[in-house]
């Protein structure tokens, strides 16, 4: 859960007042690539910050190259740079890290002084471009492009839910199609997903996306995983044995592949790494609702919730006619998970938190 204390670094100025916008309002009104993470262990470190920096760099470059209108403040001038090609790392990445880390080092100490004990900080970093600045440059290089980028940092306090505690499970509903440019995380998606709220059933806490009503891609704010019994003819994965150090794992984890059009989530990748290093097979295939009878567990991930177990999932009985109906006219099929969180979800969450401690970043 989030609280009302919020800070904003923009145009070189730190603001902290009742008028500071919420993070969703802020993102809706500012174009750009962004990433969200939080502190851990009583705000002693940032969760997977180096990974977030790399994805933010990748997202910024992808938008510059493929769809500048999602990144820049002057959409009318994007046609000048429709084929802009940025230089490859390391020059670009090193310059980009300096650009982003500088405002972080300025605003974090201020927010840390104001937080209460037990609260974490939810940190959203937005990078936007000014193509008018680029137009004035004689030579456009990686370092010069950085000069045309602006960084804003939004910080709010955040109290993480206790994993596995009764009532803290996710309740999901499949309501919309997959996103465009899923390989980059950009603020326009915050506005685009709002229309999906018209189809949110009561008590549902996250909305799922699919292109065909059967294969589940991800959530609006999360990546989606299911745990299934492994087929007897499936090859064992390399890595340590599971749990007792002797047995192989009788289960497998499924999540949609990035190439299917899902966001390359930071925690998604950490979960895959945890599974493969602990003898749990991973299939990067979109979980199929028509095969839900083999689903033993499900969980969702993002950089605030980390791993959250799923209690139930609702899917419309008729996907094709859904958009022509109102919420009250939609009939739903439901999958309830009896054991929630399940054994595999608990194990993954435990190992993921151990990895978070190792990769915690201190400014």
């Amino acid at each position: 859960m989030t609280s009302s204390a919020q800070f904003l670094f923009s145009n070189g100025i730190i603001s902290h007042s009742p008028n500071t916008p919420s993070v969703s309002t802020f993102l809706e009104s500012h174009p750009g690539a962004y990433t969200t993470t939080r502190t851990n262990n009583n705000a002693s470190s940032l969760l997977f910050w180096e990974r977030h920096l790399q994805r933010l760099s990748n997202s910024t470059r992808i938008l510059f190259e493929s769809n500048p209108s999602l990144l820049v403040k002057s959409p009318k001038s994007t046609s000048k740079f429709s084929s802009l090609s940025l230089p490859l790392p390391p020059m670009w990445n090193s310059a980009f890290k300096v650009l982003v880390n500088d405002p972080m080092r300025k605003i974090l100490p201020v927010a840390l002084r104001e937080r209460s004990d037990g609260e974490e900080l939810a940190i959203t970093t937005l990078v936007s471009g000014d193509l008018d600045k680029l137009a004035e440059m004689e030579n456009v290089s990686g370092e010069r492009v950085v000069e045309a980028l602006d960084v804003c940092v939004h910080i709010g306090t955040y109290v993480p839910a206790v994993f596995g505690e009764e009532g803290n499970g996710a309740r999901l509903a499949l309501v919309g199609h997959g996103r465009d440019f899923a390989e980059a995380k950009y603020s326009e998606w915050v506005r685009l997903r709002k229309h999906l709220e018209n189809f949110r059933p009561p008590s549902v806490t996250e909305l799922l996306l699919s292109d065909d009503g059967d294969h589940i891609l991800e959530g609006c704010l999360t990546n989606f995983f299911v745990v299934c019994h492994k087929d007897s003819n499936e090859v064992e994965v390399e890595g340590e044995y599971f749990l007792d150090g002797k047995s192989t794992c009788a289960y497998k984890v499924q999540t949609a592949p990035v190439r299917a059009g899902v966001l390359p989530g930071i925690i998604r990748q950490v979960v895959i790494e945890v599974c493969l290093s602990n003898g749990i097979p991973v299939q990067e295939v979109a979980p199929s609702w028509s095969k839900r009878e083999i689903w033993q567990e499900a969980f969702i991930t993002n950089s605030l919730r980390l791993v959250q177990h799923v209690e139930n999932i609702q899917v419309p009985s008729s996907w094709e006619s859904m958009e022509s109906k109102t919420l009250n006219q939609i009939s739903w099929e439901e999958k309830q998970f009896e054991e929630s969180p399940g054994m595999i979800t608990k194990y993954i969450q435990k190992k993921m938190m151990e990895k978070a401690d190792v990769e915690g970043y201190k400014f």
Side-chain angles (χ1 to χ4, degrees):
M1 57 178 287
T2 56
S3 69
S4 57
Q6 299 185 89
F7 304 81
L8 181 64
F9 180 96
S10 181
N11 297 318
I13 299 173
I14 298 174
S15 61
H16 173 43
S17 72
N19 296 324
T20 302
S22 67
V23 66
S24 58
T25 300
F26 169 70
L27 289 174
E28 283 183 51
S29 58
H30 292 78
Y34 79 98
T35 192
T36 297
T37 186
R38 68 168 173 87
T39 59
N40 193 36
N41 290 332
N42 204 23
S44 62
S45 65
L46 276 179
L47 281 170
F48 303 111
W49 179 241
E50 288 293 338
R51 295 180 187 243
H52 280 277
L53 261 181
Q54 186 60 58
R55 186 180 62 178
L56 186 58
S57 173
N58 292 342
S59 294
T60 302
R61 185 172 53 191
I62 288 168
L63 295 182
F64 255 122
E65 294 176 340
S66 304
N67 199 333
S69 64
L70 296 174
L71 180 69
V72 302
K73 298 177 181 179
S74 304
K76 62 184 179 181
S77 62
T78 58
S79 59
K80 302 176 185 177
F81 299 93
S82 59
S83 61
L84 181 65
S85 178
L86 301 181
L88 295 174
M91 183 198 311
W92 161 257
N93 279 341
S94 59
F96 188 89
K97 287 182 179 181
V98 172
L99 175 80
V100 174
N101 279 334
D102 182 61
M104 286 287 289
R105 289 191 173 95
K106 293 176 180 176
I107 191 174
L108 261 181
V110 178
L112 286 169
R113 286 196 298 269
E114 297 293 329
R115 59 175 279 279
S116 300
D117 190 55
E119 290 181 334
E120 302 292 350
L121 299 179
I123 303 164
T124 296
T125 306
L126 175 82
V127 177
S128 56
D130 189 334
L131 290 186
D132 291 335
K133 290 182 181 178
L134 282 177
E136 297 171 359
M137 297 179 184
E138 293 183 3
N139 299 306
V140 179
S141 65
E143 292 181 338
R144 297 301 302 280
V145 166
V146 169
E147 295 174 20
L149 297 177
D150 293 317
V151 178
C152 296
V153 181
H154 186 286
I155 297 181
T157 49
Y158 182 83
V159 181
V162 178
F163 174 79
E165 191 173 86
E166 186 175 353
N168 284 346
R171 297 175 294 279
L172 314 179
L174 184 65
V175 300
H177 292 275
R179 68 180 85 193
D180 295 326
F181 289 98
E183 65 270 28
K185 189 167 185 174
Y186 55 90
S187 58
E188 177 69 4
W189 172 244
V190 178
R191 184 185 66 81
L192 292 175
R193 72 182 187 226
K194 290 183 70 175
H195 80 281
L196 298 177
E197 293 297 325
N198 296 327
F199 302 102
R200 182 190 290 269
S203 79
V204 163
T205 59
E206 170 65 323
L207 303 176
L208 296 174
L209 307 175
S210 172
D211 286 332
D212 60 8
D214 181 45
H215 295 90
I216 300 177
L217 299 174
E218 60 182 337
C220 282
L221 299 170
T222 60
N223 288 108
F224 174 72
F225 295 77
V226 299
V227 179
C228 316
H229 276 292
K230 188 174 61 180
D231 296 335
S232 58
N233 61 349
E234 289 187 275
V235 178
E236 300 294 341
V237 299
E238 295 182 359
E240 299 177 4
Y241 283 108
F242 183 64
L243 288 180
D244 60 8
K246 298 178 181 179
S247 304
T248 57
C249 185
Y251 300 89
K252 62 185 177 184
V253 171
Q254 291 182 338
T255 192
V258 170
R259 65 178 181 275
V262 304
L263 184 72
I266 302 299
I267 306 302
R268 174 189 180 276
Q269 182 59 36
V270 173
V271 166
I272 290 173
E273 292 172 11
V274 163
C275 288
L276 295 180
S277 64
N278 288 278
I280 303 173
V282 177
Q283 290 182 329
E284 291 192 68
V285 296
S288 172
W289 178 249
S290 60
K291 298 180 180 179
R292 62 190 178 277
E293 71 279 356
I294 70 170
W295 297 357
Q296 302 299 307
E297 308 169 24
F299 58 92
I300 55 176
T301 63
N302 69 16
S303 291
L304 293 183
R305 312 179 200 199
L306 302 183
V307 174
Q308 183 182 24
H309 67 280
V310 172
E311 294 180 355
N312 60 63
I313 305 173
Q314 295 175 240
V315 170
S317 301
S318 176
W319 176 256
E320 291 75 14
S321 62
M322 181 175 174
E323 292 187 358
S324 64
K325 296 182 178 181
T326 65
L327 177 59
N328 292 333
Q329 294 174 323
I330 299 172
S331 59
W332 302 88
E333 299 174 352
E334 186 170 348
K335 168 77 175 181
Q336 187 81 27
F337 294 93
E338 297 180 3
E339 183 184 3
S340 187
M343 176 183 66
I344 303 298
T345 302
K346 290 178 181 176
Y347 185 78
I348 290 172
Q349 191 271 345
K350 175 178 178 291
K351 292 296 183 180
M352 192 274 298
M353 292 306 298
E354 292 174 2
K355 198 172 182 67
D357 288 339
V358 173
E359 293 191 39
Y361 187 90
K362 293 179 173 59
F363 271 86

